[in-house]
Amino acid sequence: MPDAVVIGSGPNGLAAAIRLAEAGRDVVVLEASDRPGGAVRTEELTLPGFHHDTFSSVYPAAVASPVIRRLPLDRYGLEWVHPEACMAHPFPDGSAALLYRDLHRTASGLDALHAGDGERWAGFAAPYLEASDAVRHTMLAGFPPVRGPLELLRDAGPLRTLAFAAGLPAPATRLARRLFHDERTRAWFYGPAMHGDTPPHSPGSAIAAFYLTLLGHAVGWPSPRGGAGAIAAALVAHLEALGGEVRCDARATAVTSAHGHVTGVRVAGGEHVAARTVVATVLPGALLDLAGDALGGWYAAGLRHFRIGQGTIKVDWALDGPIPWTNADVRQAGTVHVVGGETAFLDAVKTSEEHLPDRPFVLLGQQSLADPSRAPAGCHTAWAYTHAPADLLDPAGPRAAHVDRVEAQVERFAPGFRERILARHVMGPADLEARDANLVRGDIGGGSYRLRQLVFRPLPKLDPYRTPLDGLYLGSAATFPGGAVHGVPGDAAARSALRHDRR
């Protein structure tokens, strides 16, 4: 009988299992899929030899994460590949704004768009970049974050710490209009906010845009050589070296309990895996399905109010050459935000909250430019996703029309793009959820990041990882600090379990 069972083998589940195994616990990870990794996977989705990241692909939070950074994953073959530029944002007039790891190179490019915009960005970002470890320990920590804010107070001073805290509820539009005079520079700043589901005009988007941009300067926006699956493979290898076990094709159907204490997990097919500690890396709805009435009325009611984010449609392409961007600098970037200037950006995002826009905001990745191992010689892979209400993205007709709009949007800034497409693979919300049950209705963020759920996830609680059922812990992206590949929620849930075990 294992000491602990972890439900789900994504980065959070593997981080939880590693923390428990390091403490001497006998750990088994149960994975519903045929392979570990959750939403961190690489497959030949289009043609043989073209290796696509099925879900996520770019990992600034992983290289910044104190959970991932402490593990010797390079020992198991994990190698980070950095593109020349983290991100590019092209405009219809042929210009482009880029995010480089080098702050002054970035600022110089922004100044070329409008004199002074780059200088203001450098002046605003530099103090936080100097205190980037403190920012990282604030944004990528278990709840409540204590060490990071104290470090930020020490390294950045009280005024900047107060400004950082005050920026949490602000919209990105307010901060951008204070910093930048050119609408193109403002659009460049908005792009990172759309890696989540908080649009630039909504409260809470300023911190999302600023933090991800700052990570570009601090650690870059890299991807693993060969594909995202290398992260999962390295985490599994390290767990197994510690004595842990991952069982695939083992879907958890129930968390069992007696007298208010966990007794184990029931697996599809009827097997019962006995354990005194269970860490579930699922969303609140799935936790309710697994544990039911044992969670208690007030807690279950709180979980039912947890909001899922917008749906996603993702397109992967096999290409016979690189994307022919009009602006040659865009060919240096691993990530490209495709929409145009500020007005076009804000119109597209507002429209997508209720309808499918004619010219959507497109988040595009071209990892094979820096990592040729992903495609046959001379060829390339690329992907793109957009957000919209899930019920608009699944029907075949609207989905096909939307894919056509996505490709037309890329074509605007890269004439000849469509001629390079050898094959495409499309996933809508239902497809994403079918491949990974945590991607509910195509929400790739593990729940909405609108202001109410930005900090208090999944509900206000001093220890959001511990449930009312003794021995059951929640370690998914539904808990603080939320989604992206960094393993912090899983690690925090495991540490909570170990604390209460000792007591």
Side-chain angles (χ1 to χ4, degrees):
M1 168 177 146
D3 297 314
V5 169
V6 176
I7 300 173
S9 72
N12 281 318
L14 294 172
I18 286 170
R19 178 68 73 175
L20 292 166
E22 288 174 337
R25 303 299 195 267
D26 183 9
V27 186
V28 171
V29 180
L30 303 177
E31 170 56 50
S33 180
D34 61 351
R35 70 184 78 178
V40 178
R41 177 184 289 203
T42 302
E43 299 177 89
E44 293 181 331
L45 295 175
T46 55
L47 297 171
F50 289 83
H51 301 282
H52 304 273
D53 293 332
T54 313
F55 308 104
S56 58
S57 192
V58 182
Y59 300 106
V63 293
S65 167
V67 174
I68 302 294
R69 286 164 70 101
R70 72 182 186 87
L71 302 177
L73 300 184
D74 57 338
R75 184 184 303 168
Y76 306 104
L78 179 62
E79 179 187 351
W80 295 109
V81 177
H82 290 267
E84 178 71 18
C86 302
M87 175 268 286
H89 191 129
F91 301 102
D93 63 2
S95 63
L98 280 82
L99 171 65
Y100 295 99
R101 292 186 69 180
D102 185 274
L103 175 60
H104 298 291
R105 186 178 181 186
T106 301
S108 177
L110 299 181
D111 275 335
L113 294 179
H114 192 287
D117 275 4
E119 183 180 355
R120 280 184 291 275
W121 170 248
F124 179 77
Y128 295 107
L129 186 58
E130 292 171 3
S132 61
D133 283 348
V135 174
R136 192 162 49 84
H137 294 148
T138 301
M139 300 297 290
L140 291 174
F143 188 86
V146 176
R147 173 186 169 191
L150 291 175
E151 290 179 349
L152 192 60
L153 190 64
R154 179 196 68 202
D155 298 343
L159 291 178
R160 288 196 173 91
T161 301
L162 183 62
F164 187 83
L168 282 172
T173 50
R174 183 187 304 168
L175 178 57
R177 287 166 185 169
R178 178 162 67 86
L179 286 175
F180 306 121
H181 293 290
D182 195 289
E183 68 136 8
R184 293 170 298 176
T185 320
R186 293 194 291 267
W188 167 85
F189 181 72
Y190 300 151
M194 293 309 297
H195 288 229
D197 77 325
T198 308
H201 57 274
S202 294
S205 57
I207 196 68
F210 171 64
Y211 174 59
L212 193 52
T213 306
L214 189 72
L215 278 185
H217 295 314
V219 299
W221 289 12
S223 300
R225 188 173 300 282
I231 301 175
L235 287 169
V236 169
H238 186 58
L239 173 62
E240 291 175 343
L242 294 169
E245 177 189 358
V246 178
R247 291 177 51 186
C248 294
D249 295 313
R251 181 172 61 85
T253 58
V255 173
T256 59
S257 61
H259 310 296
H261 299 269
V262 158
T263 57
V265 176
R266 187 81 60 193
V267 181
E271 178 189 2
H272 183 256
V273 183
R276 60 191 177 91
T277 299
V278 174
V279 177
T281 60
V282 299
L283 295 191
L287 190 68
L288 288 168
D289 292 340
L290 288 169
D293 294 339
L295 291 172
W298 70 270
Y299 185 80
L303 293 186
R304 291 189 185 98
H305 284 93
F306 187 79
R307 288 182 58 191
I308 296 300
Q310 277 194 308
T312 304
I313 191 164
K314 180 173 182 283
V315 189
D316 285 276
W317 296 286
L319 306 173
D320 67 3
I323 297 176
W325 301 105
T326 298
N327 187 303
D329 289 342
V330 181
R331 303 172 197 178
Q332 305 172 6
T335 301
V336 186
H337 298 153
V338 188
V339 66
E342 181 181 36
T343 301
F345 195 134
L346 297 178
D347 286 349
V349 171
K350 286 180 181 177
T351 300
S352 70
E353 293 180 342
E354 296 181 0
H355 306 287
L356 296 177
D358 291 334
R359 289 183 168 177
F361 169 81
V362 176
L363 198 161
L364 182 145
Q366 45 186 12
Q367 275 58 55
S368 60
L369 290 177
D371 181 9
S373 70
R374 293 170 176 255
C379 295
H380 286 270
T381 61
W383 57 267
Y385 70 66
T386 60
H387 297 309
D391 57 353
L392 299 180
L393 293 172
D394 271 328
R399 182 165 82 171
H402 192 62
V403 171
D404 187 64
R405 293 187 194 103
V406 168
E407 293 181 353
Q409 185 75 306
V410 178
E411 185 84 15
R412 286 180 63 211
F413 302 91
F417 162 69
R418 280 175 156 160
E419 296 173 9
R420 300 211 165 161
I421 299 174
L422 299 172
R424 70 175 58 79
H425 180 270
V426 181
M427 289 185 290
D431 305 307
L432 291 164
E433 185 174 356
R435 284 174 170 264
D436 187 320
N438 262 6
L439 305 181
V440 177
R441 291 176 56 80
D443 171 19
I444 60 175
S448 175
Y449 293 87
R450 301 298 175 103
L451 190 57
R452 185 172 67 85
Q453 288 184 179
L454 183 62
V455 176
F456 298 109
R457 302 174 63 85
L459 72 174
K461 199 168 179 285
L462 188 60
D463 184 351
Y465 314 101
R466 189 183 184 198
T467 77
L469 177 59
D470 192 34
L472 176 62
Y473 300 84
L474 181 63
S476 70
T479 60
F480 186 86
V485 174
H486 45 65
V488 174
D491 181 75
R495 287 189 287 112
S496 178
L498 293 170
R499 284 196 304 273
H500 288 94
D501 272 0
R502 285 193 292 270
R503 292 173 188 171

